[in-house]
């Protein structure tokens, strides 16, 4: 592997990520949920910050841009929407490539949670930084996009190699598992949910997961297979996805 990934909890349920290209020593953070927490981790590791990679504009993802740029002089990449709340040096979108040293990160359109939400994919290391687009056993709320857009973005993630590790921004897996069990009875889901509950009882992280795990157990990626349960057999996949997303929005378990 050429990319070292340092993951750490911050805020209430966020994860922060520092990534270091081992060939060059360049360091990036993926999103800026908490500038102080990120600076603490950089100090602990003896690193400086060269690049900031935003996935979308929400404050728990771009709110630390200004402070970190002022302290380290980092160059900021992200979707244009970031400028709603924070500084941005280079607007990027689907098909673009961002480099951290010798590590090449492909930009993938995963809009839906916000209109311009993006993910960063390192094909060499099989790692994707997906923000709030997909979570273990879940996906982001559809705040700005429509079902076609969000389903398309999730489908792009599902098209990545199964071994790709998905580094998302929040620890939501236990609540996602409870919802998933309410709409899907796949044996693999039951096994995974039990492991998730046990891990959280031990205080362990459930992030990252892999594309293969999500394809097998995530009810949002499995939405077409759940069409009968929602009385939508034969309906378009985005319509079934919307039914699953709406059920999750209203779930009280």
């Amino acid at each position: 592997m050429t990319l070292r990934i340092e993951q750490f909890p911050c805020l209430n349920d966020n994860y922060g990520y520092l990534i270091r290209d081992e060939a060059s020593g360049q360091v990036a953070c993926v999103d800026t949920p908490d500038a102080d927490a990120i600076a603490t981790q950089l100090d602990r590791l003896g690193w400086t910050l060269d690049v900031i990679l935003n996935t979308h504009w929400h404050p728990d993802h771009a709110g630390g841009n200004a402070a970190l740029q002022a302290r380290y002089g980092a160059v900021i990449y992200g979707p244009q929407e970031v400028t709603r709340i924070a500084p941005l040096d280079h607007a990027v979108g689907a098909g673009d490539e961002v480099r951290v040293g010798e590590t090449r990160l492909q930009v993938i359109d995963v809009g839906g949670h916000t209109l311009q939400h993006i993910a960063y994919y390192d094909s060499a290391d099989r790692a994707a930084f997906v923000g709030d687009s997909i979570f273990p056993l879940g996906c982001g709320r559809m705040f700005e996009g429509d079902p076609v857009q969000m389903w398309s973005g999730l489908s792009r993630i599902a098209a990545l190699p199964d071994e790709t590790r998905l580094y998302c921004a929040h620890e939501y897996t236990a609540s996602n598992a409870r919802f998933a069990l309410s709409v899907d009875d796949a044996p693999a889901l039951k096994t995974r949910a039990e492991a998730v509950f046990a891990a959280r009882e031990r205080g362990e992280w459930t992030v990252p997961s892999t594309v293969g795990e999500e394809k097998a157990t995530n009810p949002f990626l499995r939405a077409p297979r759940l069409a009968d349960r929602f009385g939508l057999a034969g309906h378009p996949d985005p319509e079934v996805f919307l039914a699953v997303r709406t059920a999750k929005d209203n779930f009280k378990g």
Side-chain angles (χ1 to χ4, degrees):
M1 294 177 63
T2 61
L3 193 68
R4 176 176 168 183
I5 300 170
E6 291 286 334
Q7 176 177 340
F8 52 95
C10 54
L11 299 181
N12 183 41
D13 52 31
N14 280 71
Y15 286 118
Y17 296 102
L18 292 171
I19 62 176
R20 183 179 188 271
D21 173 66
E22 296 288 71
S24 67
Q26 280 204 347
V27 175
C29 64
V30 181
D31 287 326
T32 58
D34 184 331
D36 289 340
I38 292 167
T40 296
Q41 293 297 320
L42 288 164
D43 290 346
R44 178 182 68 83
L45 295 162
W47 295 352
T48 189
L49 186 65
D50 303 292
V51 175
I52 293 170
L53 304 170
N54 289 139
T55 60
H56 62 294
W57 72 267
H58 285 166
D60 63 330
H61 292 264
N65 282 17
L68 290 168
Q69 187 173 58
R71 179 166 178 171
Y72 299 100
V75 178
I76 307 172
Y77 296 83
Q80 184 64 41
E81 66 181 24
V82 167
T83 60
R84 293 168 65 173
I85 69 160
L88 180 72
D89 296 312
H90 300 284
V92 294
D96 289 334
E97 180 182 275
V98 179
R99 295 188 65 167
V100 178
E102 296 184 13
T103 298
R104 299 172 180 268
L105 296 163
Q106 301 169 32
V107 177
I108 302 173
D109 174 10
V110 293
H113 178 67
T114 66
L115 290 178
Q116 296 179 358
H117 197 310
I118 58 175
Y120 297 92
Y121 173 52
D122 171 15
S123 61
D125 294 287
R126 293 290 196 264
F129 300 92
V130 296
D132 287 354
S133 59
I134 190 169
F135 303 114
L137 298 173
C139 74
R141 286 182 179 268
M142 199 162 46
F143 285 125
E144 296 178 4
D146 59 38
V148 171
Q149 183 187 24
M150 188 125 190
W151 176 250
S152 296
L154 291 173
S155 297
R156 292 184 190 102
I157 293 171
L160 298 175
D162 281 357
E163 65 271 23
T164 302
R165 288 163 291 131
L166 299 173
Y167 292 91
C168 70
H170 295 275
E171 181 60 68
Y172 291 159
T173 315
S175 61
N176 288 342
R178 288 190 288 272
F179 168 72
L181 290 168
S182 76
V183 296
D184 194 349
D185 56 7
L189 169 60
K190 294 179 180 179
T191 300
R192 186 180 180 193
E194 290 172 0
V196 164
F197 298 143
R200 294 305 294 153
E201 283 290 326
R202 297 190 297 268
E204 297 173 1
W205 302 344
T206 63
V207 177
S209 62
T210 67
V211 168
E213 287 178 310
E214 298 313 317
K215 285 163 62 176
T217 57
N218 188 316
F220 297 99
L221 295 190
R222 286 174 50 80
R225 299 188 181 189
L226 304 177
D228 283 346
R229 183 178 292 265
F230 289 90
L232 294 172
H235 286 239
D237 291 348
E239 188 176 338
V240 185
F241 164 75
L242 175 60
V244 181
R245 182 63 258 179
T246 301
K248 176 63 163 69
D249 292 344
N250 296 323
F251 183 66
K252 305 299 183 184

